[in-house]
């Protein structure tokens, strides 16, 4: 399936208007799905986004032996009673999705062994797995690599609780070891943990169902291990709102909407993005579960450029770096963008330059943006989930028509994005390939 998006740019002539609803968070629900492997009975989920990455995770779980049942559009039942699980992750799917690595923690902790290929995913530069290899070794597992797959094995099928100090903060490593610790012997202490809201969300989900986890959302997490699988009973987990989707809509709105209300979100998770936009001159208001752009460009004032650098939460999210850089092409002055997390995550700027932006790459981690510049529509190929959406934003701001190829990347993270954007006035259409 090679769908494309055709976007007719607004070129300053029209303004988006209305209300757009945020879906469930990809980076939360994928972890909850992986966590289901720690349960004796299973888990029930609601507000599950209909996106490609969730489908891939469903396929991975089914291939392992788990039973899955869709209940309507957004509800999912994952059942494990009476099932025998495999310890080998499906090669082709794992190679397509980095998040497959999340399954290694629960599987190794439950079965005492796991094998998987080097995980693939978005091309954001080198995405090593050394933290996983080192951490599992510390928990007593032996590690080997043969036939293009890693094999981890725990002595007597049981991981040993230990202290792991992560060399660098990693979201999925923090989550993976938090889950592994639940079925390990004794206590696992994790230091220099990622503090992203999705980490805390996963800990809250597991704790509400019997896990003993302290400190999630801070740099140190303690997990008390147990012999017993978790139980969900009749509890239903509601997927938290996607802060990255909300942030992307906010940046799109900042550039092109007069009034826009983004609903079903948690503004507290986007504090730093809101702060940067307000400082640049965007009129942002927040409610309890909504963020609004109100009376934007009332007196035709220009937005101000600003330097920013990506940082682990609560810093500026790397996943919103591309949309924010597009914003800066429309702001006045020089802005330095410093991507500190992934060295390949500025490559998309080449395409924005071809649209007319004045962006100079200093090195793989830094670009200088001079604005404002007129962007012109052109053919673009989405390189990853978040840059893909940044292209949709750039194409909407631009003059003329853009064709965005490789829409699969956008579909990995955003549900029916074109339909939702059409409702607020974006001229976007999907052409089936
Ligand atoms: N790192 C290592 N060794 C490892 C693992 C990571 O050095 O073993 C480094 C990475 O190279 C990077 C840094 O640690 O420099 C942080 O990467 P992290 O491991 O936190 O990234 P991730 O867990 O693979 C998650 C999100 C990404 C998001 C990053 C950063 C999920 C499923 N993915 O990835 O989301 O960009 O955290 O916040 O939660 C996306 O949704 O499009 C996406 C790419």
């Amino acid at each position: 399936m090679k769908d494309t998006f055709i976007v007719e740019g607004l070129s300053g002539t029209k303004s988006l208007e209305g209300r757009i609803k945020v879906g469930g968070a990809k980076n939360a629900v994928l972890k909850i799905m992986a966590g289901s492997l720690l349960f004796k009975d299973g888990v029930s989920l609601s507000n599950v986004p209909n996106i490609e990455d969730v489908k891939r995770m469903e396929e991975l779980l089914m291939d392992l032996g788990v039973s899955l049942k869709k209940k309507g559009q957004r509800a999912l039942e994952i059942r494990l009673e009476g099932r025998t699980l495999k310890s080998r992750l499906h090669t082709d799917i794992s190679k397509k999705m980095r998040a497959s690595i999340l399954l290694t923690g629960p599987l190794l902790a439950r079965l005492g062994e796991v094998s998987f290929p080097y995980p693939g995913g978005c091309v954001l530069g080198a995405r090593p797995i050394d933290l996983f290899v080192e951490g599992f070794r510390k928990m007593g597992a032996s590690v080997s690599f043969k036939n293009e797959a890693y094999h981890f094995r725990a002595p007597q099928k049981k991981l040993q609780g230990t202290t792991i100090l992560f060399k660098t903060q990693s979201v999925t490593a923090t989550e993976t070891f938090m889950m592994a610790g639940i079925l390990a012997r004794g206590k696992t202490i994790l230091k220099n943990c990622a503090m992203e809201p999705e980490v805390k969300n996963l800990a809250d989900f597991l704790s509400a169902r019997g896990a003993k986890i302290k400190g999630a959302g801070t740099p140190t997490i303690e997990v008390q291990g147990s012999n017993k699988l978790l139980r969900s009973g009749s509890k239903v987990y509601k997927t938290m709102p996607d802060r990255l989707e909300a942030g992307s809509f906010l940046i799109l709105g900042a550039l092109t909407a007069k009034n826009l209300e983004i609903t079903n979100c948690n503004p507290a998770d986007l504090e730093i993005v809101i702060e940067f936009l307000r400082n640049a001159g965007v009129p942002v208001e927040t409610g309890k579960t909504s963020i609004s752009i109100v009376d934007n460009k009332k007196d035709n004032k220009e937005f101000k450029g600003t330097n920013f650098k990506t940082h682990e939460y609560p810093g500026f999210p790397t996943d919103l770096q591309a949309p924010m850089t597009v914003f800066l092409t429309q702001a006045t002055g020089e802005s330095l963008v410093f991507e500190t997390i992934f060295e390949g995550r500025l490559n998309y700027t080449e395409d924005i330059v071809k649209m007319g932006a004045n962006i100079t790459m200093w090195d793989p981690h830094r670009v200088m943006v001079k604005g404002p510049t007129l962007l012109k529509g052109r053919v673009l190929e989405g390189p990853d989930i978040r840059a893909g959406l940044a292209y949709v934003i750039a194409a909407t701001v631009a003059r003329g028509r853009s064709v965005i190829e490789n829409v699969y990347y956008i579909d990995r993270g955003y549900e029916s994005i074109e339909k939702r954007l059409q409702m607020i006035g974006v001229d976007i259409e999907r052409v089936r390939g």
Side-chain angles (χ1 to χ4, degrees), residues 74 77 127 132 142 153 223 235 271 334 339 353 421:
R74 318 225 179 284
E77 283 280 330
R127 295 186 81 181
F132 296 85
S142 64
R153 198 179 288 266
V223 187
K235 289 195 175 73
E271 227 177 334
E334 288 186 344
E339 167 58 58
V353 167
L421 293 180

Side-chain angles (χ1 to χ4, degrees), residues 180-194:
I182 292 173
L183 295 180
R185 257 192 220 112
K187 191 185 272 187
T188 302
I189 301 174
L190 307 174
K191 294 183 174 172
N192 196 24
C193 293

Side-chain angles (χ1 to χ4, degrees), residues 5 8-9 17 25-26 36 67 126 167 183 194 218 228 246 267 282 298 333-334 338 382-384 387:
F5 283 149
E8 292 292 344
E17 192 91 40
K26 166 178 91 71
S36 70
S67 147
K167 282 183 304 201
L183 295 180
T218 75
K228 285 207 191 102
V282 181
K298 192 171 59 183
E334 288 186 344
F338 188 2
D384 69 77

Side-chain angles (χ1 to χ4, degrees), residues 88-92 94-95 114-120 129 143-152:
R88 191 186 175 95
L89 297 190
H90 191 288
T91 306
D92 294 342
S94 307
K95 280 185 173 169
V114 65
S115 10
F116 60 100
Y118 197 89
I129 63 160
V143 178
S144 60
F145 186 81
K146 52 178 187 282
N147 302 328
E148 296 189 24
Y150 286 92
H151 305 270
F152 293 174

